[in-house]
Amino acid sequence: MNVLLWHLHGSWTTSFVHGRHRYLVPVTPDRGPYGLGRARTYGWPANAVEVTPQELGTAEVDLVILQRPEELELAEQWLGRRPGRDLPAIYVEHNTPKGDVPNTRHPMADRDDLLLAHVTHFNELFWDNSGTRTAVVEHGIVPPKVEWTGDLDRLAVVTNEPVRRWRVTGTDLMPRFAAVAPLDVFGMGVAGLPEALAAAGAPGIPVTGHDDLPQDRMHAEVARRRAYLHLCRWTSLGLSLIEAMTVGMPVIALASTEAVDAVPPDAGVLSTRVDTLVEAARWLAEDRDAAYRLGARAREVTKERFGLDRFLADWDRLMEEETCASR
């Protein structure tokens, strides 16, 4: 198939474009939010090709993957065809609902012209999808090229914009863990994190920001840390968490959203009690053998449940059903 999709979430799109189709990725001169083109810090195969809005007007497109409400109008404008009416469309929801949870109505609710695909069962449960058909395709990842060593008794966190998002990403909890072991925080918008924590009343704590590293380098750095710390209060299941488990890292996580189902008890420690998680961080920082045992189980679980082949097969089946139904 020729599949049109915007480059929005780098890790998810990286997995998606590893399929057997031709992926048309819009690019604009400014490489803005609706024209990022091919990723620069992720390894994408050659079948993901950049197309300009002008080229899309005559391009052969079999299916549109939507990820933001405004892409409906944008796709119609650039293609000259209406997604869901003139050609099949699937809307992928990556995020947990915001606002009046659990009564938040999804932007694509009560539509009969497209399929709403959630990336977690938690998301499908908490969004009010109303009459729109839904499906769940759980994450799958391109396996990182490194394995856990845990030679640094430090904790790794991967998150984007922890200063702006603060309580959502659990940034306010970081000082409690940094008192046990130094934190290395990887992601976009993390460069000013120590200063922000100091301004919030936690000066001089051992937190280091590593801003927007290339994916392979980030994996190599994260794999050297003793354990993976997941402090997000309200988020969809982050691919960075799955990637950390795949390299063999033990997990310390808030028992919220989909993490409860994704991380089994013998692969890490999950709790809504922060004191329990702080003690788990202390334990794993001091006991590398225990960290290895939990991480080995984490690797087994993720390879079975979140493998790339399963992810792509699920998407192939879903896309084929949608295109066949529209014929």
Side-chain angles (χ1 to χ4, degrees), residues 14-318:
T14 297
S15 296
F16 189 77
V17 300
H18 270 77
R20 58 189 177 88
H21 308 285
R22 183 169 179 260
Y23 304 93
L24 307 177
V25 184
V27 62
T28 55
D30 64 350
R31 291 190 178 267
Y34 300 99
L36 281 175
R38 285 175 55 91
R40 298 179 178 183
T41 57
Y42 296 84
W44 283 15
N47 56 329
V49 298
E50 294 183 341
V51 291
T52 66
Q54 294 75 22
E55 291 170 333
L56 281 172
T58 57
E60 182 179 346
V61 177
D62 300 304
L63 175 71
V64 179
I65 298 293
L66 303 163
Q67 302 169 82
R68 293 167 288 192
E70 56 270 28
E71 290 176 1
L72 271 168
E73 181 178 350
L74 198 59
E76 182 176 352
Q77 176 185 337
W78 288 357
L79 291 169
R81 287 163 284 174
R82 294 177 299 171
R85 297 296 184 187
D86 301 323
L87 72 169
I90 300 175
Y91 189 102
V92 181
E93 181 52 70
H94 296 275
N95 301 315
T96 47
K98 306 296 188 292
D100 185 21
V101 179
N103 299 313
T104 312
R105 181 178 170 83
H106 196 277
M108 298 297 119
D110 276 332
R111 297 187 70 111
D112 61 2
D113 57 349
L114 54 76
L115 176 71
L116 176 54
H118 292 279
V119 298
T120 69
H121 292 278
F122 184 92
N123 286 6
E124 184 188 40
L125 175 67
F126 270 76
W127 276 106
D128 176 8
N129 307 296
S130 197
T132 304
R133 292 179 299 119
T134 64
V136 176
V137 180
E138 292 193 311
H139 288 308
I141 65 166
V142 179
K145 300 175 183 178
V146 297
E147 292 187 0
W148 177 83
T149 62
D151 53 297
L152 300 178
D153 55 354
R154 303 169 70 91
L155 303 175
V157 179
V158 180
T159 189
N160 289 329
E161 300 191 51
V163 175
R164 179 181 66 83
R165 297 165 69 198
W166 204 257
R167 280 183 56 83
V168 172
T169 56
T171 307
D172 58 304
L173 304 176
M174 288 182 183
R176 298 175 66 175
F177 291 89
V180 171
L183 304 189
D184 288 304
V185 184
F186 301 84
M188 294 185 292
V190 304
L193 182 57
E195 294 78 9
L197 288 168
I205 63 171
V207 174
T208 304
H210 304 266
D211 198 64
D212 203 19
L213 298 181
Q215 190 182 40
D216 286 350
R217 183 180 166 195
M218 184 190 73
H219 288 159
E221 291 295 330
V222 168
R224 297 187 62 199
R225 275 64 187 174
R226 186 62 51 82
Y228 185 84
L229 186 60
H230 182 73
L231 296 178
C232 292
R233 284 184 171 92
W234 186 249
T235 185
S236 190
L237 184 62
L239 282 163
S240 55
L241 170 63
I242 301 171
E243 290 166 353
M245 293 173 67
T246 302
V247 305
M249 295 190 76
V251 172
I252 303 164
L254 290 178
S256 58
T257 67
E258 191 77 4
V260 177
D261 189 61
V263 184
D266 52 355
V269 179
L270 279 74
S271 179
T272 56
R273 296 190 178 193
V274 179
D275 287 345
T276 299
L277 299 180
V278 170
E279 285 307 308
R282 188 189 311 277
W283 167 49
L284 294 175
E286 296 174 353
D287 191 340
R288 189 178 180 280
D289 290 340
Y292 172 81
R293 290 194 301 271
L294 294 179
R297 176 58 179 153
R299 184 187 299 113
E300 291 177 3
V301 170
T302 52
K303 285 185 176 180
E304 178 179 343
R305 179 171 174 181
F306 298 107
L308 184 63
D309 289 345
R310 191 276 310 155
F311 172 79
L312 294 174
D314 285 353
W315 268 108
D316 278 350
R317 182 169 56 252
L318 204 64

Side-chain angles (χ1 to χ4, degrees), residues 1 62-63 88 317-327:
M1 299 183 195
D62 300 304
L63 175 71
R317 182 169 56 252
L318 204 64
M319 292 191 293
E320 183 176 354
E321 288 173 355
E322 287 304 296
T323 53
C324 287
S326 67
R327 290 171 186 165

